[in-house]
Amino acid sequence: MDLSTIAGIMAGLGLIVVSIFLSAVEPGVYINLPGLLIVIGGTLAATLVSFPTGELAKVWRVVGYVFRNNEYSIQDDITEIAHAARLRRHGDLARIEDQLERIANPFLKTSIQLVIDNTPPDEIVNILQWRIKRLREQERAEAHVFHTMSVYAPAFGMFGTLVGMVNMLYGMGGPDLLNVGHNMAVALMTTLYGLVLSNLIFKPIAIKIERRTEKRAMIMRMIVEGTILLAGNRSPVFIRETLKSFSAQHDDELRGANSSFNDELQPTAKKTTKRQRDLDEDF
């Protein structure tokens, strides 16, 4: 399980509950089933109208990834690419085919398969870049569903507020003033439910999906760089060290460190550093 997601939701709900108990004279009034039904039911109904059923079915599967800890180690991919480079240099294509059967990453498997099929490097890059673009568009659409739900929830909260206000105003002309307070509670609580669902559930899930997509795209770009080096018949040592630098420099840039990352990782650059020539000669 992803502890940050669970802890964040529990902490948010806990703070809301504590603040209610510390400030409310009667905390039980914050439990309003008609108001909750209006917000949740209206949000789900509007979402069903807005998106095709098949697209929504994929989205609900993605929610499971949000609550699971999906740490992905790129070291396994680096090792697979370096191993394929070693076998390719020895001309052992049969063992590369056996290696492909054991690779779990379909993007990496396709990349190595294109290389051993002697596909031109430009075409390899175009195919892999298209797959990265398709992934980002698909997962951006999944995140868009939750962004949309985060908009619908407060809107239906306002709808519940209007319903409660109408009932309250209508009841003010009658003898039973107890219903006035009940309808006022419905009017206010639906807005509260809508804001909580929007800002504590739907919007954070959408952001987490987007962050997951960017991380996956970064790993896929690293594989593309490794595939280009593999197609160029570079040494396994050089490929391993270059891709390790890709990961390390990416982390440094996230922390704001200055580096010459772009200059060091261009596999098609015309100039080769002394360190790169030494790595090629070592193998």
Side-chain angles (χ1 to χ4, degrees), residues 51-119:
F51 298 95
T53 305
E55 188 172 337
L56 290 177
K58 296 178 182 178
V59 169
W60 301 128
R61 287 197 296 268
V62 173
V63 177
Y65 293 107
V66 174
F67 290 94
R68 290 201 297 267
N69 189 8
N70 297 306
E71 289 297 330
Y72 186 86
S73 174
I74 65 174
Q75 298 303 320
D76 294 338
D77 293 337
I78 295 174
T79 300
E80 294 289 358
I81 295 174
H83 183 58
R86 183 177 296 107
L87 296 177
R88 188 166 186 259
R89 278 205 159 192
H90 293 160
D92 198 348
L93 298 182
R95 290 185 62 188
I96 297 180
E97 292 286 352
D98 294 337
Q99 177 190 0
L100 290 176
E101 298 297 327
R102 297 189 298 270
I103 295 178
N105 186 337
F107 186 78
L108 176 60
K109 182 182 295 187
T110 300
S111 303
I112 297 177
Q113 185 66 60
L114 290 171
V115 173
I116 64 176
D117 289 342
N118 294 320
T119 307

Side-chain angles (χ1 to χ4, degrees), residues 229-271:
L229 296 175
L230 178 62
N233 206 27
R234 306 306 295 266
S235 74
V237 177
F238 175 71
I239 292 176
R240 186 186 299 275
E241 294 301 318
T242 301
L243 296 185
K244 283 183 178 180
S245 299
F246 186 100
S247 174
Q249 294 292 352
H250 178 80
D251 292 339
D252 289 342
E253 288 182 353
L254 289 180
R255 292 191 294 268
N258 294 323
S259 64
S260 56
F261 167 69
N262 291 330
D263 295 331
E264 293 174 358
L265 293 182
Q266 292 296 333
T268 57
K270 295 181 179 180
K271 294 182 179 180

Side-chain angles (χ1 to χ4, degrees), residues 39-200:
V39 175
I40 295 179
T43 301
L44 293 178
T47 304
L48 288 173
V49 174
S50 302
F51 298 95
T53 305
E55 188 172 337
L56 290 177
K58 296 178 182 178
V59 169
W60 301 128
R61 287 197 296 268
V62 173
V63 177
Y65 293 107
V66 174
F67 290 94
R68 290 201 297 267
N69 189 8
N70 297 306
E71 289 297 330
Y72 186 86
S73 174
I74 65 174
Q75 298 303 320
D76 294 338
D77 293 337
I78 295 174
T79 300
E80 294 289 358
I81 295 174
H83 183 58
R86 183 177 296 107
L87 296 177
R88 188 166 186 259
R89 278 205 159 192
H90 293 160
D92 198 348
L93 298 182
R95 290 185 62 188
I96 297 180
E97 292 286 352
D98 294 337
Q99 177 190 0
L100 290 176
E101 298 297 327
R102 297 189 298 270
I103 295 178
N105 186 337
F107 186 78
L108 176 60
K109 182 182 295 187
T110 300
S111 303
I112 297 177
Q113 185 66 60
L114 290 171
V115 173
I116 64 176
D117 289 342
N118 294 320
T119 307
D122 291 342
E123 293 185 14
I124 293 177
V125 172
N126 289 336
I127 293 173
L128 298 182
Q129 291 289 356
W130 175 81
R131 290 189 60 169
I132 295 175
K133 181 180 179 181
R134 185 183 64 176
L135 171 79
R136 298 186 68 168
E137 290 177 348
Q138 177 182 343
E139 297 196 356
R140 188 181 295 116
E142 294 167 350
H144 179 64
V145 173
F146 289 97
H147 277 301
T148 303
M149 294 178 72
S150 71
V151 174
Y152 286 152
F156 278 96
M158 184 58 65
F159 168 77
T161 298
L162 294 176
V163 170
M165 292 293 290
V166 170
N167 292 334
M168 182 191 69
L169 294 174
Y170 180 79
M172 290 181 68
D176 190 1
L177 294 180
L178 293 177
N179 289 329
V180 174
H182 173 76
N183 291 324
M184 190 62 182
V186 174
L188 297 179
M189 289 309 302
T190 51
T191 299
L192 176 62
Y193 291 152
L195 291 174
V196 170
L197 288 174
S198 174
N199 295 285
L200 188 59

